[in-house]
Amino acid sequence: MNRLSTCIAIVGLASLFGCNDVLDDPKVNIPPSGIDWDSGSPFYGGPGAYAPYTGSDPYVLEAQRRIPDGLTLQSQVVRRSCGPINGVCHNQKEYPDLHTPANFVDAIGAPCNIQSGNPEGVFDRCERVGDRVEIDGTPGRFEIGWVEFVPPEGDETPPPSPEMPGLHFHFAEPVPTSHHERWRTLRLIRTLVRADRTVEDLSYAEYTTTLYVFDGGKHLVAGVRPYQVNTVLSLLAVGIEQGDLNRNGVFGARPRGSVSYGPIPLIDPGNPETSYLVARMRGFMRRVEGGTEHLDEVPGTRMPLANQPFSVPEMIALFCFIEGLDPALDTVNLAAPIDYGHCSYALDTSKLDGLAVEGEPGDCSWERRVKRVLAANCGGCHDSSDDTAGGLALLGDGVYDRLLLAAVDDPLSRPLIAPGNPAGSYLFLKIGGLLSEGQSHEEYIEAHSLAGELMPDAPSGFRKLDDVAIADIHAWIQAGASDTASCTTP
Ligand code: HEC
């Protein structure tokens, strides 16, 4: 099915989500055309140009041996990151379920987390071009930043004010203030891109009402009388594309200077650096503007949340897979070998930066190691939200200070971390730090008077941290659990 017909059909069904190719910037906006979105089979296309890696980096050699192709990457690595086990992927709405090869292929060129439940969770570079508003009697079209509906109360017409009931539009550029308190027709316009890449504007909704203009024209309220509420609700149900969905003043789909900024895809064929999936693993996305490099922070917890973090060879496989995708090709062959021989990340693994998420084994300093081990292995459940697991946030601000407090559920009220005393540290006991060979979990929990389960409590049961990480945490506590001193595990 070609993409335009998909979109029009969806408009007919009063849902515009899915018309993802409403885009201005041809470089990043248009997904590789012709991927067979309807097909369940990932096995198309022929193998591309490919060369094995012949260098000596042990991580790359391991990646090449263990993860030779895209299918293995999907089934053994990606699937684990946000697998079919519901409840673990806290942020499932924000990025797609990648648990089948076909879903993984669909993520190539697909837009990122624009439908996340909370606007603040949207990364600027995931924002799309907003729909535009045309006002009767005014030339030009005004891009919508964000929209908010304040329902009317009673039949009284409220005095005009920026807080008044109505449908509130916030624009990138001001509309003429002469529309204030005038009866006008608004038309909502969306741009669609056909499969042959020709562009067409579609007016998908019309609304006639009294307008109120504030903030020099950047804020427009379309009056909503009680009898118009249903019309407005159905318009909102259709979904208005908002160019500044996270309301921070940055319109992510607009170029910054000469640099194309967004919207970035989940997986950008040929370019890991502008793939949202990669940015979510790093926690930032790199951007070069005016010759200076910026690291834009990506909201939300780092992937892969509660599940086992990617090892360095797994990262290399993912980066090389993405870099090896040819944006000009219509097809993706997951069974084809990953091109480690030409991959810039294999040739220079320092390019993976920010991804040594757990720090260096043998380091027992707080910032460089312990904090990172906790964030990477525990942060998926113990995030900084109000309903974080066990009331314990191991991500966000103030983690260190919290660890010195008493554990919430401990019947003996021990501190989570007792400086100098690993055996008296509830957190250390919870991670099985003193678990001896052959001892059952039940015996251990009983022997140390613990509440609940051993940590990390994965859906498949306790999956103990690796021995080096536990030894580093032990050494950190033993040495006084400082948040500033550097520390080397004996
Ligand atoms: C899959 C989700 C999950 C993961 C991953 C996880 N936890 Fe937990 N954690 C929980 C839940 C649920 C509780 C509350 C029930 C319990 O204690 O068993 C909890 C409780 C705790 C408590 C007790 C808090 C208190 O104040 O009483 C500690 C300490 C803890 N976890 C540490 C960790 C550490 C350290 C890690 C990583 C090594 C980790 N958890 C990983 C889900 C998780």
Side-chain angles (χ1 to χ4, degrees), residues 155-200:
D155 280 341
E156 294 292 307
T157 304
S161 85
E163 288 79 39
M164 67 190 292
L167 187 57
H168 292 241
F169 291 92
H170 297 263
F171 293 108
E173 275 88 32
V175 305
T177 49
S178 55
H179 293 301
H180 190 58
E181 299 195 54
R182 294 285 193 281
W183 182 256
R184 295 281 189 262
T185 298
L186 300 179
R187 254 180 306 280
L188 272 66
I189 316 275
R190 180 166 304 180
T191 305
L192 301 174
V193 181
R194 286 178 186 271
D196 66 6
R197 302 198 174 182
T198 53
V199 173
E200 191 167 324

XYZ file of all heavy atoms in Angstrom, residues 155-200:
382
model
N -23.182 28.681 30.910
C -23.521 29.303 29.641
C -22.970 30.707 29.476
O -23.011 31.277 28.399
C -25.055 29.366 29.482
C -25.586 28.012 29.019
O -24.759 27.218 28.497
O -26.779 27.746 29.195
N -22.465 31.264 30.576
C -21.960 32.640 30.526
C -20.776 32.741 29.571
O -19.913 31.875 29.567
C -21.466 33.053 31.925
C -22.557 33.138 32.974
C -23.520 34.283 32.712
O -23.030 35.418 32.553
O -24.744 34.030 32.647
N -20.715 33.812 28.790
C -19.508 34.073 28.013
C -18.495 34.697 28.966
O -18.764 35.734 29.572
C -19.784 35.044 26.854
O -20.830 34.501 26.078
C -18.541 35.219 25.994
N -17.340 34.041 29.143
C -16.380 34.537 30.132
C -15.682 35.776 29.608
O -15.596 35.972 28.394
C -15.394 33.388 30.250
C -15.475 32.689 28.938
C -16.843 32.898 28.393
N -15.176 36.642 30.493
C -14.396 37.793 30.024
C -13.115 37.291 29.354
O -12.538 36.299 29.816
C -14.071 38.553 31.320
C -14.278 37.573 32.428
C -15.238 36.538 31.958
N -12.687 37.943 28.277
C -11.478 37.494 27.586
C -10.254 37.553 28.502
O -10.040 38.567 29.162
C -11.320 38.503 26.441
C -12.636 39.175 26.306
C -13.297 39.106 27.643
N -9.517 36.487 28.560
C -8.261 36.454 29.313
C -7.473 35.241 28.831
O -8.056 34.318 28.267
C -8.535 36.305 30.811
O -8.699 34.934 31.137
N -6.162 35.255 29.051
C -5.353 34.119 28.568
C -5.721 32.792 29.233
O -5.323 31.735 28.755
C -3.920 34.520 28.929
C -3.952 35.993 29.120
C -5.334 36.324 29.625
N -6.497 32.848 30.332
C -6.879 31.595 30.998
C -8.302 31.196 30.651
O -8.827 30.220 31.175
C -6.780 31.731 32.522
C -5.354 31.784 33.053
C -4.732 33.157 32.888
O -5.462 34.151 33.083
O -3.540 33.235 32.530
N -8.966 31.948 29.801
C -10.396 31.719 29.557
C -10.647 30.331 28.961
O -9.750 29.732 28.369
C -10.931 32.788 28.591
C -10.347 32.663 27.182
S -10.757 34.099 26.154
C -12.529 33.877 25.988
N -11.865 29.817 29.133
C -12.196 28.548 28.478
C -12.074 28.707 26.965
O -12.253 29.807 26.436
C -13.648 28.303 28.877
C -13.912 29.186 30.033
C -12.998 30.357 29.902
N -11.785 27.607 26.286
C -11.666 27.651 24.837
C -10.572 26.709 24.370
O -9.929 26.029 25.179
N -10.368 26.718 23.061
C -9.307 25.895 22.498
C -8.101 26.816 22.298
O -8.137 27.741 21.487
C -9.787 25.308 21.165
C -8.883 24.299 20.498
C -8.588 23.113 21.412
C -9.524 23.803 19.206
N -7.052 26.566 23.083
C -5.898 27.460 23.089
C -4.833 26.965 22.111
O -4.392 25.820 22.208
C -5.281 27.513 24.490
C -6.166 28.184 25.502
N -5.798 29.319 26.175
C -7.414 27.879 25.946
C -6.768 29.684 27.004
N -7.758 28.816 26.881
N -4.439 27.847 21.203
C -3.348 27.526 20.280
C -2.142 28.387 20.630
O -2.282 29.592 20.860
C -3.740 27.873 18.840
C -4.820 27.002 18.261
C -6.157 27.365 18.362
C -4.498 25.826 17.597
C -7.154 26.565 17.817
C -5.494 25.021 17.045
C -6.823 25.396 17.162
N -0.965 27.789 20.643
C 0.271 28.547 20.821
C 1.094 28.388 19.549
O 1.336 27.265 19.112
C 1.035 28.047 22.048
C 0.245 28.251 23.315
N 0.443 29.325 24.134
C -0.765 27.533 23.858
C -0.416 29.257 25.153
N -1.162 28.175 24.998
N 1.498 29.521 18.970
C 2.111 29.497 17.642
C 3.599 29.811 17.671
O 4.100 30.461 18.594
C 1.432 30.533 16.744
C 0.010 30.202 16.425
C -1.033 30.923 16.986
C -0.296 29.144 15.573
C -2.351 30.616 16.696
C -1.611 28.834 15.282
C -2.651 29.565 15.845
N 4.259 29.407 16.600
C 5.661 29.764 16.413
C 5.781 31.247 16.077
O 6.578 31.971 16.664
C 6.264 28.918 15.296
N 4.986 31.706 15.119
C 4.984 33.122 14.739
C 3.614 33.710 15.035
O 2.609 33.016 14.929
C 5.283 33.280 13.242
C 6.773 33.289 12.920
C 7.326 31.888 12.680
O 6.550 31.051 12.177
O 8.493 31.649 13.018
N 3.565 35.024 15.388
C 2.291 35.616 15.802
C 1.264 35.729 14.675
O 1.616 35.975 13.525
C 2.700 37.013 16.282
C 4.031 37.277 15.674
C 4.690 35.958 15.462
N 0.007 35.562 15.038
C -1.091 35.838 14.106
C -1.482 37.314 14.307
O -1.209 37.891 15.359
C -2.305 34.915 14.374
C -1.889 33.457 14.347
C -2.969 35.227 15.718
N -2.124 37.936 13.305
C -2.498 39.344 13.459
C -3.437 39.558 14.645
O -4.409 38.823 14.809
C -3.213 39.679 12.147
C -2.754 38.638 11.176
C -2.484 37.411 11.969
N -3.133 40.563 15.452
C -3.950 40.815 16.642
C -5.316 41.400 16.268
O -6.218 41.450 17.099
C -3.239 41.801 17.586
O -2.798 42.914 16.803
C -2.029 41.173 18.232
N -5.468 41.819 14.997
C -6.763 42.367 14.566
C -7.886 41.329 14.630
O -9.056 41.675 14.493
C -6.643 42.923 13.150
O -6.142 41.901 12.302
N -7.553 40.060 14.819
C -8.607 39.041 14.932
C -9.254 39.010 16.312
O -10.205 38.268 16.518
C -8.041 37.647 14.638
C -7.616 37.469 13.213
N -8.465 37.622 12.152
C -6.413 37.147 12.676
C -7.807 37.407 11.019
N -6.564 37.117 11.314
N -8.713 39.788 17.247
C -9.217 39.723 18.622
C -10.715 40.026 18.668
O -11.174 41.031 18.121
C -8.432 40.718 19.499
C -8.703 40.553 20.962
N -8.477 39.367 21.633
C -9.190 41.419 21.886
C -8.815 39.503 22.913
N -9.262 40.752 23.085
N -11.448 39.168 19.309
C -12.905 39.295 19.467
C -13.630 39.399 18.123
O -14.617 40.120 17.992
C -13.237 40.478 20.398
C -12.629 40.263 21.781
C -13.208 41.192 22.849
O -14.436 41.216 22.999
O -12.407 41.882 23.521
N -13.162 38.663 17.139
C -13.839 38.603 15.846
C -14.299 37.176 15.584
O -13.704 36.209 16.032
C -12.883 39.021 14.707
C -12.453 40.462 14.753
C -13.578 41.384 14.299
N -13.116 42.734 14.035
C -12.872 43.658 14.966
N -13.012 43.361 16.243
N -12.466 44.861 14.639
N -15.378 37.070 14.834
C -15.953 35.778 14.421
C -15.248 35.343 13.144
O -15.263 36.057 12.147
C -17.452 36.001 14.191
C -18.257 34.800 13.795
C -18.732 34.507 12.543
C -18.741 33.759 14.651
N -19.465 33.359 12.563
C -19.486 32.871 13.851
C -18.590 33.495 16.027
C -20.101 31.737 14.360
C -19.205 32.355 16.531
C -19.952 31.499 15.705
N -14.537 34.201 13.198
C -13.686 33.804 12.062
C -13.749 32.289 11.850
O -14.088 31.546 12.764
C -12.214 34.134 12.354
C -11.879 35.605 12.484
C -11.765 36.264 11.126
N -11.248 37.609 11.220
C -12.008 38.710 11.226
N -13.323 38.594 11.165
N -11.446 39.903 11.298
N -13.334 31.884 10.657
C -13.179 30.453 10.393
C -11.695 30.086 10.416
O -10.881 30.748 9.764
C -13.776 30.085 9.021
O -15.164 30.378 9.064
C -13.585 28.605 8.707
N -11.382 29.045 11.223
C -10.013 28.514 11.255
C -9.988 27.256 10.414
O -10.900 26.438 10.486
C -9.622 28.101 12.679
C -9.617 29.148 13.788
C -9.214 28.477 15.100
C -8.620 30.234 13.428
N -8.938 27.092 9.641
C -8.755 25.835 8.922
C -7.450 25.199 9.376
O -6.427 25.886 9.456
C -8.721 26.068 7.408
C -9.994 25.623 6.682
C -9.895 25.870 5.194
N -9.551 27.260 4.939
C -10.451 28.261 4.970
N -11.733 28.014 5.194
N -10.050 29.492 4.758
N -7.470 23.899 9.696
C -6.261 23.195 10.100
C -5.695 22.450 8.895
O -6.421 21.692 8.247
C -6.556 22.227 11.241
C -6.443 22.863 12.631
C -7.511 23.913 12.824
C -6.549 21.819 13.719
N -4.418 22.695 8.649
C -3.785 22.183 7.434
C -2.641 21.247 7.816
O -1.843 21.558 8.695
C -3.138 23.331 6.621
C -4.055 24.530 6.541
C -2.631 22.835 5.274
C -5.064 24.512 5.476
N -2.589 20.128 7.142
C -1.441 19.232 7.335
C -0.805 18.912 5.984
O -1.506 18.749 4.997
C -1.894 17.931 7.999
C -0.759 16.953 8.235
C -1.159 15.860 9.165
N -1.640 16.408 10.428
C -2.065 15.654 11.444
N -2.057 14.342 11.329
N -2.497 16.213 12.549
N 0.507 18.818 5.971
C 1.218 18.490 4.743
C 1.469 16.992 4.684
O 1.910 16.399 5.672
C 2.578 19.219 4.705
O 2.330 20.606 4.885
C 3.288 18.997 3.388
N 1.161 16.400 3.572
C 1.415 14.980 3.397
C 2.423 14.798 2.279
O 2.463 15.577 1.345
C 0.119 14.250 3.040
C -1.000 14.389 4.083
C -2.280 13.762 3.567
C -0.576 13.751 5.389
N 3.241 13.773 2.410
C 4.231 13.481 1.382
C 3.826 12.173 0.712
O 3.649 11.163 1.375
C 5.644 13.344 1.993
C 6.660 13.068 0.905
C 6.008 14.600 2.769
N 3.662 12.221 -0.601
C 3.297 11.004 -1.328
C 4.477 10.055 -1.430
O 5.621 10.459 -1.237
C 2.911 11.362 -2.770
C 1.580 12.009 -2.941
C 1.454 12.310 -4.436
N 0.260 13.059 -4.747
C -0.911 12.487 -5.023
N -1.022 11.178 -5.014
N -1.953 13.233 -5.300
N 4.157 8.816 -1.802
C 5.226 7.836 -1.973
C 6.239 8.318 -3.006
O 7.426 8.048 -2.895
C 4.647 6.489 -2.377
N 5.791 9.052 -4.009
C 6.747 9.551 -5.013
C 7.398 10.864 -4.551
O 8.056 11.541 -5.329
C 6.053 9.738 -6.375
C 4.995 10.848 -6.339
O 4.888 11.545 -5.295
O 4.265 11.021 -7.328
N 7.182 11.212 -3.269
C 7.812 12.349 -2.613
C 7.274 13.697 -3.083
O 7.883 14.719 -2.813
C 9.342 12.295 -2.727
C 9.862 10.998 -2.132
C 11.333 11.035 -1.818
N 11.683 9.780 -1.115
C 12.860 9.483 -0.656
N 13.846 10.331 -0.794
N 13.100 8.352 -0.041
N 6.160 13.720 -3.776
C 5.525 15.005 -4.005
C 4.735 15.349 -2.754
O 4.327 14.483 -1.988
C 4.587 15.001 -5.225
O 3.669 13.922 -5.060
C 5.366 14.837 -6.512
N 4.566 16.648 -2.555
C 4.023 17.131 -1.297
C 2.645 17.725 -1.535
O 2.406 18.370 -2.547
C 4.972 18.219 -0.738
C 4.373 18.885 0.473
C 6.315 17.600 -0.394
N 1.741 17.490 -0.615
C 0.389 17.999 -0.785
C -0.145 18.486 0.557
O 0.070 17.845 1.576
C -0.467 16.835 -1.274
C -1.830 17.231 -1.750
C -2.446 16.057 -2.511
O -1.682 15.344 -3.209
O -3.638 15.846 -2.378
